[in-house]
Structure formats: C-alpha cells, structure tokens
C-alpha cells in the first residue's frame, strides 16, 4: 500500500483556527483542574462522620473519583476506536485507541495511587484484595500488555488490526474480572447508589461535596480530551515521519 | 495475502479442445461451506493433524508435562515447611501450574506452523477459517486436559491432597475451555511478531483473571467440604466466560489473516 494513505495531508488553511481551538481547550482544562484543586481542598466541607487523618484523607476522594472517571472514559474511547478501526480501517481511529490507552493507564495509575494514600489512614494498609482494586490493577496490566504488544509488530496495518482485536478481548474480560473479584470479598465503600455494610471509611455526599465532584468529573473529562487530541496529533506526525523515512531509504 | 492463479488455467485447456467457456463460469471452487457434518470433518482433520504431529515430534505435550512436574516440585519445596496444611495452598498451586504450563503448549500452536512454513498452506486450504480455529482449539484443549491428568496425581504424590473430586474436575474442564479458547486466538495473534514467547503470558494471563479466581475458589470450597450450592456461582462464571470468549474468538478469528 502506498504511503500516502498512512497520513491524510493536513490543510494549512484550517491549521490556524484549530490551533486556537487547542489553546482554548488547554486553557479551559488548566482552569478547571485548578478550580478542582481549590474546591477539593478548601470549598468542600469535611466529612462529618470521619475524624482526624481519615477526615483529611477523604479530600483525596475528588481526585480519586475524577481520575477513575477519566480512566473509564479513556478505556471506553479505546474500545470505540478499536471497533471503528476494524470497521473502517482508517488508521486515525487506531491512533485514537492507542492515545486513549496511554492516557487511561496514566489516569488509572493516579486512581490507584490516590486510593492507596487514602486507604493507609482509613484501612490501615496501602493495599488489599478488594474487587475494585483488583479489577483496576488487572485492567491496567491488560492495557500495559496492549502497548507492549503493539511495539512488537512491525507492519503498521497489522499492528493496528491485531491491537484492535486484543483491545476487544481485553475489554470483554473486565466485567467478568470485576464480578469474580467482588465474590472474593469487599471492604470498599460504595458512595453512590447503595452502601456496603462491611465498608470501612464510608461517608455520604453533601451539597458542596457533590458540586466539587462535578468539577472533578468535568475537569478530568476535559483533561482526557486535551491529552487525547495532543497525543493523537503526535502519533499522526510520528507515522508521517516513519513514512517519509521509509521513502528516503 | 493474495492468491494468484497460474497462467495455464483449465479454461485454456478446454479452449484448445474447441469448447470455449467464458472465464466467469469456471471460477476456482472453494469448498468452504455447506453441511454441518462436512464442517466438523474439517475441524476433525485439523485436530487430527496436530495430534499426529505431536505423536511424531513430541514437541508440546511432553514439554508441558515436564514443566508441570518441575513446577510441582518447586512449589512443593517452597511451601513444604512454611504452610500448616497443604490444602491451603494446593488450589493456587493447581491453577498456577495449569495456566503457566498451558502457555507452553499454546505458544507452539501457531508458531510451529510459522517455523515450518506451513501456515500459508494451512490458510490456503479450502476450509472455513473458523474450522481451522476450532480444530486448533480442540487439539490444544486435549493437550491441556492430558497435562491435567498427569498433574493431578503429581499433586497427590507431593502434597498428599486428593483433587479427584467431581466438581474440581468439572472446573478444570470448564476453565481449560475458556483458557484455550482465548489462548488459541492469542497464539495466532502472536505467531508472527517479535518476542512472541515472552509476549504470550503478558497478553494472556491478565485476561485469565476470572478463570483463575473461579478455579481456585471451586477447588478451595470442595476441599473445605462445602456443598454444591456454595460455589455454583463460580461454575456459572466459568460457563459464562467460556461462552463469551468462544463466541468472540469465533467472530474475530477471521480478521487476523489479511496480509502476511
């Protein structure tokens, strides 16, 4: 196949206006994330039923939930990218999938890290085999494997196709892993829609808390979108460089 | 991958005899479809081919069994003096060994074809690709189960725990089906890539987490003398895993082979 199909040529006329768009999006993301930090640390009222270290640690909840939402959106986006790639065979969608996985891994690690910092004062341990922890970790391992797998394939189209197939399989196993881990045992608080009677460090959501949570949700979705667009563009340029290099040889 | 016909096709031969046929009426007939029995015969042929190769070369099953024996001894040494009762660790040991030595067999499933340069011939064979998948799947499943048949007495011998209980055996069968269903597809994915041997466990093991957990739980509960109702949800999980992944592999297997 010719190299011209690898990258659609970007038209210079639209480039300037899209630069402005990126700038606005980046600024918006930075502002929302800054607002989130302020809201999480100062605006949201402390959890009344908790005390001492637990009460302070509860504030990491906003970062924790924010990044897990971003992480979920990212992995969902990678699934969409993979399915559309297998249908349309347009490498742009493969780049969407790859960029989403990379961002999802970062956000997933941030979720785990924030959770560990919270769970030390609350559960008195950094780690436990709770279903949500187990599922997040295994999901992260699956997507790290996805990136490693991609690296091993030389042909650009084979790489896109194989990793899309793997992403589909990977995503199918996540709910099964979650239910298996849940039957193992659970001490994780369920803050929304129901409660876990065995939960340690649970609390209910007040008004300032839910407002902060909305800021977190919007902020992390914006963060994901911004990173996705930048990374996608970078991957596109990288493919173009590879194509040009191949042409020169 | 493209198939090009040789220049001297039967059309020319018949043209010389004076019977002129238009090209379109004599396409290459691929015997890909029609008939349940014929389909399963093809599946059987693929499977029989793999088993025959194994009987002659002894590349897969012997390696799997040797590895599992080694692993039993390693775990036996590791846990011997540290664990009060062997039944506490045997479920984990059983499933750990099944998964790890299973990878050795699955790795060879398609990479052997790649190494002997028979993969292309296999793909050119006039059969449905899903028959190829099913044949490979059944052969790998058989290797897995044969390995388990040798593994269980070894565990009895070293750990003195009898695992020949109906529900443990059922869980091994169900777990192996799901494991090999995904593993066969991943073996096809990794057959042509760099560092395929080391890639396989990294890809396969995280996806296998539900099978691993369910298998361990069933073995644990049976060894604790629990009733069937206590672990039926785990058996349900295994059945769900098998159905979901067999269907997905069935649908996606054809997408793997587009260019070589």
């Amino acid at each position: 196949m010719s190299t011209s199909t690898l990258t659609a040529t970007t038209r210079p006329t639209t480039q300037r206006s899209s630069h402005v768009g990126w700038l606005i999006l980046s600024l918006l993301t930075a502002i929302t994330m800054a607002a989130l930090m302020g809201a999480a640390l100062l605006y949201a009222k402390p959890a009344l039923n908790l005390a001492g270290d637990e009460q302070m640690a509860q504030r990491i909840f906003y970062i924790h939930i924010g990044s897990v939402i971003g992480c979920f959106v990212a992995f969902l986006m990678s699934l969409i990218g993979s399915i559309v790639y297998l249908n349309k065979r347009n490498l742009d969608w493969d780049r969407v999938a790859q960029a989403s996985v990379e961002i999802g891994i970062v956000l997933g690690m941030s979720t785990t890290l924030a959770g560990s910092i919270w769970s030390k004062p609350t559960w008195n341990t950094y780690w436990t085999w709770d279903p949500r922890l187990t599922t997040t970790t295994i999901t992260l391992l699956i997507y790290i494997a996805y990136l490693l797998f991609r690296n091993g394939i030389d042909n650009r189209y084979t790489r896109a196709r194989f990793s899309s197939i793997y992403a589909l399989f990977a995503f199918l196993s996540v709910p099964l892993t979650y239910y298996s881990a849940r039957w193992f045992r659970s001490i994780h608080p369920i803050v929304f829609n129901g409660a876990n009677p065995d939960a340690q460090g649970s609390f209910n959501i007040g008004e300032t808390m839910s407002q902060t949570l909305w800021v977190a949700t919007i902020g992390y979705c914006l963060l994901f979108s911004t990173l996705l667009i930048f990374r996608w563009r970078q991957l596109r340029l990288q493919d173009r460089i590879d194509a040009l290099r191949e042409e020169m040889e | 991958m493209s198939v090009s016909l040789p220049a001297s096709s039967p059309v020319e031969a018949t043209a010389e005899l004076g019977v002129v046929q238009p090209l379109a009426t004599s396409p290459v007939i691929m015997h890909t479809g029609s008939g349940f029995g014929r389909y399963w015969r093809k599946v059987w042929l693929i499977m029989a081919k793999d088993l025959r190769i194994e009987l002659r070369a002894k590349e897969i099953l012997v390696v799997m069994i040797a590895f599992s024996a080694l692993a039993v001894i390693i775990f036996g040494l590791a846990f011997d003096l540290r664990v009060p009762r062997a039944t506490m660790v045997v479920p984990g040991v059983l499933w750990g060994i099944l998964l790890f030595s299973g990878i050795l067999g699955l790795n060879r499933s398609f990479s052997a074809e790649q190494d002997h340069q028979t993969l292309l011939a296999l793909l050119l064979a006039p059969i449905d690709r899903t028959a190829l998948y099913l044949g490979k799947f059944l052969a790998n499943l058989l290797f897995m189960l044969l390995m388990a048949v040798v593994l269980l007495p070894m565990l009895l011998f070293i750990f003195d725990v009898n695992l020949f209980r109906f529900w443990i055996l059922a869980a091994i069968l169900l777990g192996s089906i799901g494991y090999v269903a995904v593993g066969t597809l991943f073996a096809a994915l990794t057959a042509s890539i760099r560092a395929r041997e080391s890639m396989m466990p990294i890809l396969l093991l995280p996806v296998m987490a539900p099978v691993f957990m369910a298998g361990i739980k069933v073995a644990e509960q049976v060894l604790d003398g629990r009733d069937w109702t206590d672990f039926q949800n785990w058996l349900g999980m295994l059945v769900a895993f098998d159905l979901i992944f067999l269907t997905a592999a069935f649908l996606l297997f054809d997408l793997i082979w587009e260019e070589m």
Side-chain angles (χ1 to χ4, degrees), chain B residues 155-176:
Chain B
L155 286 173
L156 173 65
F157 197 66
I158 300 284
F159 286 94
D160 196 19
V161 176
N162 185 11
L163 292 167
F164 287 95
R165 314 279 186 88
F166 179 76
W167 289 115
I168 293 182
L169 297 179
I172 290 175
L173 176 66
L174 289 172
S176 300

Side-chain angles (χ1 to χ4, degrees), chain B residues 4-199:
Chain B
S4 57
L5 286 171
S8 58
S9 64
V11 180
E12 282 176 27
T14 48
E16 277 172 25
L17 294 169
V19 190
V20 182
Q21 280 182 340
L23 254 176
T25 57
S26 63
V28 183
I29 295 162
M30 298 279 273
H31 297 275
T32 52
S34 78
F36 192 69
R38 213 187 281 172
Y39 180 82
W40 281 102
R41 206 184 115 69
K42 285 161 188 160
V43 171
W44 171 258
L45 284 174
I46 297 277
M47 188 187 93
K49 171 195 83 72
D50 271 18
L51 298 184
R52 205 175 306 128
I53 290 173
E54 180 54 25
L55 272 179
R56 289 178 189 162
K58 297 174 188 66
E59 267 185 336
I60 298 174
L61 191 60
V62 179
V63 175
M64 284 165 84
I65 290 172
F67 177 83
S68 60
L70 194 65
V72 170
I73 290 167
I74 287 172
F75 282 123
L77 284 171
F79 291 131
D80 184 36
L81 299 173
R82 304 282 302 165
V83 180
R85 278 183 300 121
T87 47
M88 291 168 124
V89 291
V90 160
V93 169
L94 167 71
W95 279 93
I97 295 174
L98 277 177
L99 292 195
F100 284 125
S101 45
I103 283 176
L104 293 179
L106 291 169
N107 250 336
R108 293 303 296 164
S109 177
F110 280 93
S111 59
E113 306 272 3
Q114 184 93 7
D115 293 346
H116 302 143
Q117 286 159 13
T118 48
L119 188 57
L120 191 60
L122 202 60
L123 292 174
L124 282 174
I127 54 169
D128 199 302
R129 294 272 160 77
T130 55
L132 173 60
Y133 171 77
L134 268 184
K136 285 276 181 191
F137 163 76
L138 289 175
N140 287 332
L141 182 63
L142 198 70
F143 293 147
M144 221 20 219
L145 295 178
L146 286 174
M147 188 210 32
V149 165
V150 183
L151 174 62
L152 292 180
M154 285 194 288
L155 286 173
L156 173 65
F157 197 66
I158 300 284
F159 286 94
D160 196 19
V161 176
N162 185 11
L163 292 167
F164 287 95
R165 314 279 186 88
F166 179 76
W167 289 115
I168 293 182
L169 297 179
I172 290 175
L173 176 66
L174 289 172
S176 300
I177 290 174
Y179 180 63
V180 172
V182 180
T184 306
L185 186 113
F186 284 6
L189 279 181
T190 53
S192 57
I193 71 164
R194 275 183 275 124
R196 61 190 177 208
E197 257 84 19
S198 52
M199 211 62 240

Side-chain angles (χ1 to χ4, degrees), chain A residues 86 89 134 138 141-142 144-146 148-155 157-158 161-163 165-166 168-170 172-173 175-181 183-184, chain B residues 181-182 185-186 188-190 192-194 199 202-204 206-207 209-211 213-214 216-217 233-234 237 240-241 244-245 248-249 252 255-259:
Chain A
L86 286 178
R89 302 305 164 101
T134 313
I138 290 174
L141 286 173
I142 285 176
I144 289 169
Y146 170 94
L148 292 172
F149 180 49
R150 287 184 71 95
N151 273 343
I153 308 170
D154 292 327
N155 184 314
Y157 294 93
T158 314
R161 200 172 68 252
F162 280 17
S163 49
I165 295 173
Y166 181 68
L168 282 180
F169 263 78
L172 278 178
S173 84
L176 293 174
T177 305
Y178 177 71
Y179 277 100
S180 309
W183 290 337
F184 245 71
Chain B
V182 180
L185 186 113
F186 284 6
L189 279 181
T190 53
S192 57
I193 71 164
R194 275 183 275 124
M199 211 62 240
I202 293 178
L203 290 180
L204 190 53
V207 178
V211 168
M213 283 190 266
I216 288 178
K217 274 288 168 184
N233 55 349
W234 290 111
M237 168 66 74
F241 189 96
I244 291 172
F245 281 96
L252 291 173
L255 288 173
I256 296 175
W257 322 103
E258 286 185 2
E259 79 270 320

Side-chain angles (χ1 to χ4, degrees), chain A:
Chain A
M1 232 172 274
S2 69
T3 49
S4 61
T5 50
L6 261 178
T7 49
T9 46
T10 39
R11 280 164 295 166
T13 44
T14 55
Q15 221 160 31
R16 180 160 299 154
S17 62
S18 62
H19 272 312
V20 174
W22 291 333
L23 196 68
I24 291 172
L25 187 63
S26 310
L27 271 175
L28 212 60
T29 308
I31 291 167
T32 323
M33 291 304 280
L36 168 63
M37 293 305 143
L41 291 174
L42 305 169
Y43 176 68
K45 294 205 173 91
L48 290 175
N49 64 331
L50 305 177
D53 283 349
E54 274 192 57
Q55 195 178 46
M56 196 60 219
Q58 183 269 332
R59 290 185 181 279
I60 213 168
F61 166 74
Y62 307 106
I63 309 298
H64 182 64
I65 294 291
S67 32
V68 83
I69 288 171
C71 174
F72 180 74
V73 170
F75 288 148
L76 199 66
M77 197 66 203
S78 83
L79 179 75
I80 294 169
S82 302
I83 291 174
V84 176
Y85 176 76
L86 286 178
N87 271 326
K88 294 248 165 84
R89 302 305 164 101
N90 181 347
L91 282 181
D92 275 341
W93 284 101
D94 179 59
R95 291 175 199 126
V96 167
Q98 187 191 347
S100 302
V101 166
E102 287 173 357
I103 301 161
I105 288 173
V106 173
L107 291 177
M109 283 180 171
S110 132
T111 308
T112 316
L113 194 68
S116 293
I117 293 169
W118 172 83
S119 74
K120 184 62 183 171
T122 311
W123 293 343
N124 204 23
T125 173
Y126 288 112
W127 187 257
T128 172
W129 291 109
D130 180 79
R132 295 181 185 211
L133 275 66
T134 313
T135 312
T136 315
T137 316
I138 290 174
T139 311
L140 283 179
L141 286 173
I142 285 176
Y143 282 105
I144 289 169
Y146 170 94
L147 291 181
L148 292 172
F149 180 49
R150 287 184 71 95
N151 273 343
I153 308 170
D154 292 327
N155 184 314
R156 185 67 187 85
Y157 294 93
T158 314
R159 189 193 304 160
R161 200 172 68 252
F162 280 17
S163 49
S164 298
I165 295 173
Y166 181 68
L168 282 180
F169 263 78
F171 203 88
L172 278 178
S173 84
V174 172
L176 293 174
T177 305
Y178 177 71
Y179 277 100
S180 309
R182 191 163 158 166
W183 290 337
F184 245 71
R185 68 199 178 93
S186 175
I187 60 166
H188 195 291
I190 297 174
V191 179
F192 309 101
N193 304 323
N196 178 359
D198 297 329
Q200 304 284 311
S202 191
F203 56 91
N204 285 320
I205 288 282
E207 198 180 335
T208 52
M209 285 177 162
S210 76
Q211 283 162 359
T212 309
L213 211 55
W214 275 111
V215 178
T217 310
I218 295 165
Y220 271 93
C221 286
L222 279 175
L223 181 69
F224 166 69
S225 318
T226 315
L227 290 175
L228 176 65
I229 289 171
F230 278 103
R231 183 62 183 149
W232 178 81
R233 196 175 130 77
Q234 210 176 24
L235 289 172
R236 203 172 142 106
L237 289 174
Q238 195 175 357
D239 277 343
R240 205 153 146 199
I241 290 170
D242 289 346
L244 286 174
R245 194 170 283 155
E246 222 165 81
E247 241 171 65
M248 279 166 67
E249 274 165 6

